[in-house]
Amino acid sequence: MGASRAVDTLLCMRTIIEPFRIKSVEPIRMSSLEERRALLERVGWNLFSLRSEDVILDLLTDSGTGAMSSAQWGALMCGDESYAGSPSFQRFEASVREVFGFEHVVPTHQGRAAEHVLFHTLGGAERIVPNNTHFDTTGANVEASGARAVDLPCPESTDNSSPFPFKGNVDVDRLSSLLEANPGRVPLVMVTVTNNAGGGQPVSLANLRATREVCERHCIPLFLDACRFAENAFLIQQRERGQEGRALGEIVHDMFRLADGCTMSAKKEGLANIGGFVACRDDALARDLRRRLVVTEGFPTYGGMAGRDLEAVAQGLREVLDQDYQEYRHASICYVTEHLAKCGIPQILPAGGHAIFLDAGRFLPHLEWNQFPGQALAIELYLEGGIRSCEIGSLMLARTDAETGEEQPAPQELLRLAIPRRTYTQSHMDYLLEVIEAVWRRRAEIPGITIEEAPAVLRHFTARYGRMAGAACAGGGAGGGASRCDR
Ligand code: F0G
């Protein structure tokens, strides 16, 4: 149905058409280079500490930053705010069951709360939780329970220029060895779809099947971190042999049939501004999750969400499977990655599902990992054009080696430009490209970063930084004027 018609449209037309009209707008305040420099100095060069009014394009995250549809705004008014037994919860539960096929649905206020409830129920000292790559909050929640988080991405995941279509895959051989070497210590295996910390790269159905087989052999449950489940299904449809032309909902069913449960941040592909859940098939596990939920989140029929937010997510989970929407979203991300590739700007290819990932290590090869090239680049994009992005490198993901006490760098130094859903248009993407090109031209003078002050856990959110000597001068401010590669 939608699949083939929309593909035809895309093939014939050069312009990406956003499949929506805009009913309500939010102004963007323009700012000058001097103003941005002063603002960043004041907040210790940490972009998380900026006020959003001081940002021109906010690509910090795709989480909770999307635009809701008129159907979602309408559904909000139907929110029933009863403490117990709200019909809004029933609609939420029905939608999650319909899309994912899990019997038990435990609502939480966002994804990390779902992780907290799950890992404090199944984790604990001496335990190990494998994942293709834990996102920062997922790893932090596993480790807060006393367990160890182990990342097992496939070997292709670190070759940024290889065209391998499923760099989010789990390294099934290493998973198998880990389970054999640690009998009784692995309470569940997680797979993150798409793999956010590894470049928003998808996991293939074949890899999910192989992971499932290994889990079954060891009688260990498989859970998916489902934040970006529909983008993963779309990339399966586009890239996996035998999946082309299938409806996204069917592919989602195939993915989740292989799992025993999932955690979800509805701030991503629930197309809502808040919300999440854990879902599972097992009655006893669901009972334990609900018991914990009441202590930390709320009663099991709202779990930290307002009735109106349950309604918005119930509607959003269905909208996110719209073929035209997913095609436009991916086309606008590819529009950026293809242009960057033409200019020779290092990035993760092929394009992932929710973001453009610049390879900051190769963009700024004169900086060591502990001079934080990802953060250095994030600062320059803000200075140049008011763009807020997010380092996904050693600031966020470095780990301290338990034996030596030394800090180990992240596997890659990346800068993520996350694209909020249904929020920006193609001209915003053109502006983004202009800013990146301007920074690329003066890359040799970009200084590294020092940490002046940071907490032990999740330090990137609140740390203060310094810039090393030799700060380069950013270009002409918003819109900056310099010549650019052809588009
Ligand atoms: N899992 C993944 C894969 C995520 O990307 C996130 C959040 C979470 C879990 C936690 O969900 O924020 O609702 O508590 N990622 C956001 C991001 C913050 O910017 O990528 P949450």
Side-chain angles (χ1 to χ4, degrees):
M1 29 155 275
S4 55
R5 179 176 45 75
V7 168
D8 287 350
T9 309
L10 265 184
L11 288 178
C12 298
M13 302 291 182
R14 200 180 55 250
T15 306
I16 300 162
I17 177 159
E18 287 88 13
F20 47 79
R21 294 183 297 187
I22 296 169
K23 187 175 299 203
S24 170
V25 296
E26 283 181 276
I28 295 176
R29 191 181 76 77
M30 298 300 149
S31 54
S32 69
L33 170 64
E34 290 65 38
E35 202 183 337
R36 293 194 291 271
R37 190 189 301 283
L39 287 165
L40 266 191
E41 270 172 19
R42 195 177 317 145
V43 297
W45 305 96
N46 188 333
L47 296 138
F48 280 101
S49 305
L50 289 171
R51 297 182 322 168
S52 60
E53 297 104 304
D54 296 327
V55 174
I56 294 178
L57 281 195
D58 204 345
L59 310 184
L60 182 67
T61 179
D62 62 323
S63 180
T65 52
M68 291 206 295
S69 65
S70 47
Q72 283 178 294
W73 283 108
L76 286 188
M77 286 306 292
C78 304
D80 179 302
E81 305 300 342
S82 306
Y83 189 94
S86 161
S88 297
F89 175 70
Q90 286 157 24
R91 286 190 277 273
F92 172 85
E93 182 181 52
S95 178
V96 175
R97 282 184 180 153
E98 175 190 310
V99 172
F100 299 97
F102 297 118
E103 169 65 18
H104 299 291
V105 182
V106 179
T108 60
H109 78 276
Q110 63 183 88
R112 67 199 71 183
E115 292 161 358
H116 177 87
V117 172
L118 181 67
F119 295 124
H120 279 76
T121 304
L122 292 181
E126 306 296 318
R127 299 198 156 183
I128 302 172
V129 178
N131 199 324
N132 44 356
T133 310
H134 288 85
F135 189 64
D136 60 352
T137 61
T138 324
N141 273 300
V142 168
E143 300 202 335
S145 81
R148 187 152 64 88
V150 176
D151 292 341
L152 300 173
C154 65
E156 295 86 350
S157 64
T158 49
D159 180 354
N160 292 348
S161 50
S162 115
F164 188 70
F166 291 105
K167 291 182 184 172
N169 281 354
V170 178
D171 186 331
V172 179
D173 292 338
R174 281 173 68 206
L175 176 66
S176 189
S177 311
L178 181 117
L179 298 187
E180 258 149 47
N182 295 283
R185 291 183 64 195
V186 179
L188 78 168
V189 170
M190 290 286 289
V191 180
T192 306
V193 293
T194 59
N195 187 10
N196 183 11
Q201 296 289 307
V203 180
S204 70
L205 257 185
N207 185 259
L208 284 176
R209 285 198 193 101
T211 304
R212 170 82 210 173
E213 260 173 45
V214 173
C215 290
E216 251 169 28
R217 218 180 311 134
H218 293 268
C219 298
I220 294 174
L222 172 63
F223 272 62
L224 302 186
D225 177 335
C227 294
R228 299 178 180 87
F229 71 101
E231 285 161 9
N232 199 96
F234 176 75
L235 294 171
I236 287 176
Q237 181 198 58
Q238 300 297 305
R239 297 181 185 171
E240 191 161 352
R241 190 167 300 156
Q243 301 301 320
E244 56 282 343
R246 293 188 68 209
L248 294 175
E250 276 177 35
I251 298 175
V252 169
H253 280 162
D254 285 355
M255 290 164 59
F256 285 81
R257 238 196 305 273
L258 297 166
D260 299 285
C262 73
T263 53
M264 171 81 185
S265 166
K267 298 174 72 171
K268 284 81 171 174
E269 290 206 293
L271 298 180
N273 303 121
I274 196 73
F277 57 86
V278 199
C280 66
R281 302 186 203 285
D282 186 82
D283 297 341
L285 174 62
R287 182 201 58 210
D288 293 349
L289 293 172
R290 289 192 182 106
R291 285 181 181 166
R292 190 166 293 273
L293 189 84
V294 181
V295 181
T296 57
E297 283 284 290
F299 190 74
T301 61
Y302 70 87
M305 288 166 81
R308 54 181 168 271
D309 295 322
L310 292 166
E311 297 279 359
V313 175
Q315 172 66 20
L317 286 175
R318 294 179 175 127
E319 288 179 10
V320 81
L321 291 169
D322 179 67
Q323 183 73 27
D324 290 347
Y325 160 71
Q326 286 292 346
E327 298 223 352
Y328 129 80
R329 179 158 173 78
H330 194 62
S332 62
I333 287 172
C334 290
Y335 177 74
V336 178
T337 56
E338 281 164 20
H339 181 75
L340 294 176
K342 261 198 247 163
C343 300
I345 296 175
Q347 60 177 324
I348 296 191
L349 288 173
H354 67 294
I356 295 106
F357 285 77
L358 297 182
D359 182 341
R362 281 171 51 225
F363 199 114
L364 302 175
H366 58 288
L367 301 184
E368 300 293 328
W369 70 267
N370 55 6
Q371 298 172 334
F372 306 110
Q375 184 63 17
L377 191 51
I379 288 171
E380 297 304 326
L381 293 185
Y382 181 72
L383 289 176
E384 187 71 38
I387 290 171
R388 180 154 67 168
S389 54
C390 181
E391 190 257 15
I392 300 203
S394 293
L395 263 185
M396 182 189 274
L397 299 172
R399 294 262 169 88
T400 306
D401 187 294
E403 276 156 31
T404 65
E406 274 179 30
E407 194 161 76
Q408 300 295 319
Q412 300 201 67
E413 303 303 326
L414 302 173
L415 181 73
R416 187 183 72 173
L417 300 154
I419 308 298
R421 296 178 176 79
R422 308 190 289 203
T423 304
Y424 293 118
T425 64
Q426 189 171 351
S427 67
H428 291 110
M429 296 301 110
D430 281 324
Y431 176 78
L432 167 66
L433 286 169
E434 253 185 81
V435 172
I436 298 173
E437 281 167 31
V439 172
W440 173 243
R441 282 194 291 274
R442 57 180 180 77
R443 62 193 177 279
E445 301 126 52
I446 292 174
I449 299 302
T450 53
I451 298 181
E452 309 246 294
E453 185 187 310
V457 180
L458 298 177
R459 64 183 178 183
H460 54 290
F461 288 128
T462 53
R464 290 182 70 86
Y465 310 115
R467 290 172 100 202
M468 296 167 69
C473 185
S483 69
R484 62 187 199 189
C485 303
D486 291 338
R487 262 193 290 290

